[in-house]
Amino acid sequence: MDSILTSIKKLLGIAEEYEHFDPDIVMYINSAFSVLTQLGVGPEEGFRIEDASKTWSEFLYDDPRLEFAKTFIYLKVRLAFDPPLSSAVMEAINRQISELEWRINVTVDPD
């Protein structure tokens, strides 16, 4: 199983069994899902998680063209949950997010 919450926690450097920050991380993940829903990714009615039971395939339907949505969610969560102290790093992450948004748009709506 490829848990959304567990994989984001791993990228943030948080052990799977450490659940103290789970409510905060879940909230930020769901915010990123809202953005992706507006971009046309995932279920049309929206998507959210409440715990570690939801998987990436439930959100992306195993579409390999949208793998970068995972990176998008991680970067959005990182900026909200653990923003970098360096403004240069923050700007680099924001540029990555902008590029991913553009690529997501091109993938979902190529016309």
Side-chain angles (χ1 to χ4, degrees), residues 13-15 17 22 25 28 60 65 75 79 86 95 97 105:
I14 301 171
E17 56 277 351
D22 283 9
I25 296 169
Y28 297 135
L60 297 173
R65 299 171 308 136
L75 292 172
L79 278 184
S86 165
R95 281 194 308 270
I97 289 170
N105 268 323

Side-chain angles (χ1 to χ4, degrees), residues 9-90:
K9 284 173 65 173
K10 180 181 179 217
L11 290 168
L12 292 170
I14 301 171
E16 180 179 354
E17 56 277 351
Y18 189 74
E19 298 177 349
H20 181 76
F21 296 116
D22 283 9
D24 300 13
I25 296 169
V26 165
M27 178 180 64
Y28 297 135
I29 289 170
N30 287 335
S31 293
F33 280 137
S34 295
V35 173
L36 288 173
T37 297
Q38 288 180 337
L39 293 174
V41 177
E44 196 173 299
E45 68 278 1
F47 191 85
R48 72 176 193 194
I49 67 168
E50 295 174 3
D51 53 33
S53 64
K54 297 279 185 158
T55 64
W56 287 112
S57 60
E58 290 176 82
F59 176 66
L60 297 173
Y61 306 116
D62 290 325
D63 185 342
R65 299 171 308 136
L66 296 173
E67 282 293 311
F68 44 64
K70 298 175 185 179
T71 304
F72 175 85
I73 290 174
Y74 159 67
L75 292 172
K76 293 290 272 185
V77 171
R78 176 162 179 221
L79 278 184
F81 178 75
D82 185 24
L85 297 176
S86 165
S87 61
V89 173
M90 186 171 292

